Amino acid sequence: MAVSTPVLGIVVLIYLMVIFYLGWLGYKKTQQTEDYMVAGRKMNPYILAVSYGATFISTSAIVGFGGAAGALGMGLLWLSFMTIFVGVFMAFVVFGKRTRRIGLKLGAVTFPELLGRRYQSRFIQGFSGILIGLFMPLYAGIVLIGGARFVETTLNINYDVAVLILTVIVAAYVITGGIIAVMYTDALQGALMFLGMALLLTLTYVKLGGVVEAHQALTNMAYLVPESLQAGGHLGWTAMPELGSPIWWNLVSTLILGVGIGVLAQPQLAVRFMTVKDDKALNRAVLVGGPFILMMTGVAFTVGALSNVYFFDKLGVISVVAAGGNTDLIIPQYINSAMPDIFVVLFMLTLLAAAMSTLSAQFHTMGTAIGHDFYREFLKKGELGQTINITRMSIAVTILVSVVLAYILPISIIATATAVFFGLCASSFLPMYTGALFWKRMTRKGAIASMLVGAFTSLFWLIFVHAKEASALGISKALFGVDTILTGTWTIIDPIIVATPLAFLTAVIVSLMTEPDSQEHIDRCFMTSTVNN
């Protein structure tokens, strides 16, 4: 159902005017490369926290993972726990503080540059940059699809036009204003997201007769689980799947661990730790970031599962059936059917904010990875001056790639594609990122070996072993005549379970077998006396 009223037009217009104003404000405050890349290292901690959360939570989380909860149940709430404990507490308090300190000492302005300078390797910086530039457009394309579909629904316009409108709006303030504009607009969008999700949870419980009544009704519906899902291990929407079953492996290894662990090595999130002036700012940010992430993920997953109660009461079918078998349509279908029109308008704005906040961070990260890390530092060996203009051109190129993907990718892969990118980042970056921050004995060769093993093992597993991606790509079928080169349980184990431990093991073995890096450089990275705490 499309909502098209003069009020909606006015609300959207005001929203866009504020967004452009914040983008202009970011542009005015961007004078040097450090401003464009890391906001001059003076960002307010509360803006940091909301920006981090708004970047992390996109339409993929609300629509894609909310829809997955509609099919798989509330076991997905373990991902909420992971995103809060790992994605906020561990990220800010443990990883964030050292990232900020070492980044400041080494003058790093991007995540790949932090790794490259810590290990004194242009190859690490360049390879990390090109890896981000090649694979993040997939993630951006997925988010763009979700956002554009809701623009299409809300404004009742053609999908192709919606993609272009959303892209132009986000590109305008990212290209001109850099990360200052990105974080300012994220803060506003995060506030809208929080309000929208709070109202969604409240209205859902009111609609279903109360908290206890709603959850009890969902528990009582276990007998309605389709036979195909029962065969896969589904035990009901308020229970975890059967241990070791295909659905259990998909839920735990791909969705919970793939995203919950992968968040630590997300370039667009890690760079935010370098935008504040001291460790106290990171501590204060946790107090805002934790509740924000809980509201975003907890509500999406809870409402997604509870939508089964609504659809069964109204239509006599479960959510997946009501959505025509497409889990990505469960949340939109539920919102349009169950919520009052005025809330539909607000929620469409919420999803627009979620898409724009994540897209802006992705565009900025892709542009800096290609323009600064790969082109300037790796290819040109740092010979160029300021990289703002090169980065802006790179952002434009990666935006075009993301738009093309938004036109050719099916929306049904939102949750899977998100988990794939998060898992690839975890396998490629997390071992050497952890070593860069916490292990002085980690060597340049150990880091390079770890990065290559993690990246190529993850890609190999996706192409030849993990059934969902391998079957869709068809490369294994074309080369070997089979969908996957392994059979049985291996085909449902996510690449992160195999590639990340292997990358960690490689990092340790190679580092212990090679000469330590310069003690002078290690001391420079790890001494804390010269950095504000």
Side-chain angles (χ1 to χ4, degrees):
M1 177 181 66
V3 178
S4 180
T5 66
V7 174
L8 172 60
I10 293 172
V11 170
V12 172
L13 180 61
I14 293 173
Y15 169 70
L16 294 179
M17 288 173 63
V18 175
I19 290 296
F20 279 119
Y21 170 74
L22 293 173
W24 176 82
L25 201 61
Y27 173 75
K28 294 293 288 184
K29 291 189 176 184
T30 300
Q31 305 296 328
Q32 302 175 7
T33 298
E34 194 167 88
D35 296 330
Y36 194 84
M37 302 291 194
V38 289
R41 305 185 195 273
K42 299 176 183 178
M43 187 56 66
N44 180 285
Y46 303 108
I47 292 180
L48 163 68
V50 178
S51 172
Y52 179 96
T55 298
F56 184 15
I57 305 301
S58 67
T59 51
S60 65
I62 299 173
V63 177
F65 284 81
L72 302 178
M74 290 190 174
L76 202 58
L77 285 171
W78 279 107
L79 178 55
S80 291
F81 168 77
M82 290 291 288
T83 54
I84 294 169
F85 179 70
V86 178
V88 176
F89 178 76
M90 289 287 293
F92 279 73
V93 176
V94 181
F95 280 74
K97 291 180 179 180
R98 294 219 175 188
T99 298
R100 186 198 68 80
R101 295 174 193 171
I102 295 177
L104 177 61
K105 290 174 186 177
L106 300 180
V109 295
T110 68
F111 179 68
E113 187 164 67
L114 172 73
L115 298 174
R117 293 192 176 185
R118 161 62 177 87
Y119 294 113
Q120 298 178 296
S121 169
R122 291 190 187 277
F123 175 77
I124 287 178
Q125 184 172 354
F127 187 86
S128 299
I130 199 63
L131 200 65
I132 293 167
L134 286 176
F135 291 98
M136 188 175 276
L138 171 65
Y139 184 23
I142 292 300
V143 175
L144 189 56
I145 288 172
R149 288 298 182 192
F150 278 96
V151 171
E152 174 191 30
T153 303
T154 307
L155 302 181
N156 195 26
I157 60 177
N158 180 270
Y159 170 73
D160 295 343
V161 176
V163 169
L164 293 178
I165 290 175
L166 184 58
T167 303
V168 169
I169 292 172
V170 177
Y173 64 81
V174 176
I175 292 175
T176 57
I179 202 168
I180 297 178
V182 169
M183 295 181 75
Y184 280 176
T185 53
D186 282 354
L188 168 66
Q189 290 157 346
L192 286 173
M193 292 162 62
F194 190 93
L195 175 62
M197 297 303 279
L199 287 174
L200 175 61
L201 182 65
T202 302
L203 291 174
T204 295
Y205 281 131
V206 170
K207 194 81 176 178
L208 300 181
V211 177
V212 175
E213 292 79 4
H215 287 265
Q216 186 60 54
L218 186 62
T219 300
N220 295 340
M221 289 176 59
Y223 72 95
L224 293 170
V225 174
E227 290 184 7
S228 59
L229 292 179
Q230 289 183 31
H234 199 309
L235 300 178
W237 289 277
T238 57
M240 283 292 289
E242 182 181 350
L243 182 66
S245 65
I247 291 179
W248 185 91
W249 276 108
N250 178 51
L251 179 65
V252 174
S253 70
T254 300
L255 301 181
I256 296 176
L257 293 181
V259 176
I261 299 297
V263 63
L264 283 177
Q266 286 293 292
Q268 74 275 20
L269 299 180
V271 72
R272 277 159 167 70
F273 302 138
M274 296 189 280
T275 65
V276 292
K277 65 179 180 179
D278 55 33
D279 288 353
K280 292 179 181 178
L282 292 172
N283 290 334
R284 290 195 291 269
V286 172
L287 300 177
V288 177
F292 182 85
I293 294 294
L294 175 62
M295 179 63 72
M296 295 299 103
T297 59
V299 171
F301 304 160
T302 299
V303 171
L306 289 175
S307 68
N308 286 282
V309 178
Y310 170 79
F311 284 119
F312 184 70
D313 288 344
K314 183 177 181 179
L315 304 176
V317 297
I318 61 174
S319 298
V320 174
V321 177
N326 186 351
T327 59
D328 292 337
L329 294 179
I330 289 177
I331 292 295
Q333 188 86 357
Y334 171 73
I335 297 299
N336 281 292
S337 178
M339 297 292 115
D341 285 352
I342 187 64
F343 178 78
V344 175
V345 174
L346 174 62
F347 197 74
M348 294 307 116
L349 204 60
T350 299
L351 289 170
L352 183 61
M356 290 176 65
S357 58
T358 301
L359 284 170
S360 61
Q362 291 169 331
F363 291 162
H364 182 269
T365 301
M366 291 186 292
T368 57
I370 296 294
H372 181 77
D373 296 308
F374 180 71
Y375 182 74
R376 179 185 187 272
E377 293 297 327
F378 180 66
L379 293 183
K380 295 296 183 180
K381 303 186 184 303
E383 295 175 358
L384 300 174
Q386 288 193 347
T387 61
I388 293 179
N389 290 333
I390 297 172
T391 300
R392 284 171 173 160
M393 289 187 291
S394 300
I395 290 174
V397 172
T398 55
I399 286 173
L400 289 175
V401 175
S402 301
V403 169
V404 171
L405 290 173
Y407 285 131
I408 65 176
L409 289 173
I411 197 170
S412 58
I413 64 167
I414 286 181
T416 300
T418 302
V420 165
F421 181 74
F422 274 60
L424 179 62
C425 286
S427 303
S428 305
F429 302 139
L430 187 56
M432 67 171 173
Y433 180 35
T434 304
L437 302 182
F438 303 106
W439 192 28
K440 298 179 181 180
R441 185 63 178 78
M442 182 85 161
T443 66
R444 179 191 303 111
K445 292 180 180 178
I448 292 174
S450 168
M451 177 177 64
L452 294 177
V453 167
F456 289 112
T457 300
S458 184
L459 291 173
F460 174 84
W461 204 264
L462 287 169
I463 295 170
F464 295 107
V465 180
H466 199 236
K468 184 173 290 187
E469 293 80 23
S471 298
L473 291 172
I475 297 175
S476 177
K477 184 74 171 179
L479 294 178
F480 304 110
V482 292
D483 288 335
T484 60
I485 61 174
L486 297 180
T487 59
T489 304
W490 290 112
T491 63
I492 56 176
I493 295 177
D494 194 80
I496 194 174
I497 302 296
V498 178
T500 305
L502 190 59
F504 268 107
L505 186 62
T506 300
V508 173
I509 293 175
V510 175
S511 292
L512 293 177
M513 293 177 61
T514 53
E515 288 294 319
D517 292 339
S518 162
Q519 189 60 46
E520 180 182 357
H521 176 69
I522 295 299
D523 290 341
R524 180 188 176 198
C525 292
F526 284 90
M527 288 183 64
T528 60
S529 59
T530 59
V531 180
N532 294 330
N533 293 315

